[in-house]
Amino acid sequence: MHEAFCLDSEENIFHAYEKNHSTAKSATKVMNDLEVRNLILYHTEESHGTDRKRLYIEEAQEKFKGNVYVPDDLEIIEL
């Protein structure tokens, strides 16, 4: 599990790094270095509505080698 406050492409809008947060893309570097197979991104901003999951997954999958999950609140993920 890793927080991803915003998309890397929108870091200049949300300023994740200034707030000591990550972006979807920056979280993947850490997880790739650790050879993680499943990545759950949480603590995402909510400005994308129903496209949120798709956008975060797509950005993370550009760099991440494993499975990417972006859960809704209270969603159960079975690995």
Side-chain angles (χ1 to χ4, degrees):
M1 291 180 66
H2 200 291
E3 63 87 23
F5 186 66
C6 64
L7 299 170
D8 197 71
S9 59
E10 296 180 335
E11 202 285 326
N12 62 329
I13 298 168
F14 294 103
H15 308 287
Y17 301 135
E18 284 179 20
K19 299 170 185 151
N20 296 312
H21 288 291
S22 301
T23 66
K25 192 177 286 185
S26 68
T28 64
K29 178 175 181 357
V30 174
M31 297 300 120
N32 278 333
D33 290 348
L34 294 172
E35 298 182 5
V36 170
R37 294 187 313 215
N38 296 294
L39 171 59
I40 300 170
L41 296 175
Y42 67 96
H43 193 255
T44 58
E45 56 81 25
E46 299 289 332
S47 67
H48 296 289
T50 59
D51 292 326
R52 180 182 65 90
K53 280 187 180 195
R54 179 185 56 80
L55 291 170
Y56 278 80
I57 290 170
E58 285 175 359
E59 186 170 278
Q61 286 180 331
E62 290 175 17
K63 300 283 183 179
F64 187 65
K65 300 170 188 170
N67 301 309
V68 179
Y69 303 91
V70 179
D72 291 320
D73 290 346
L74 304 175
E75 182 177 346
I76 295 171
I77 298 173
E78 293 188 35
L79 303 176

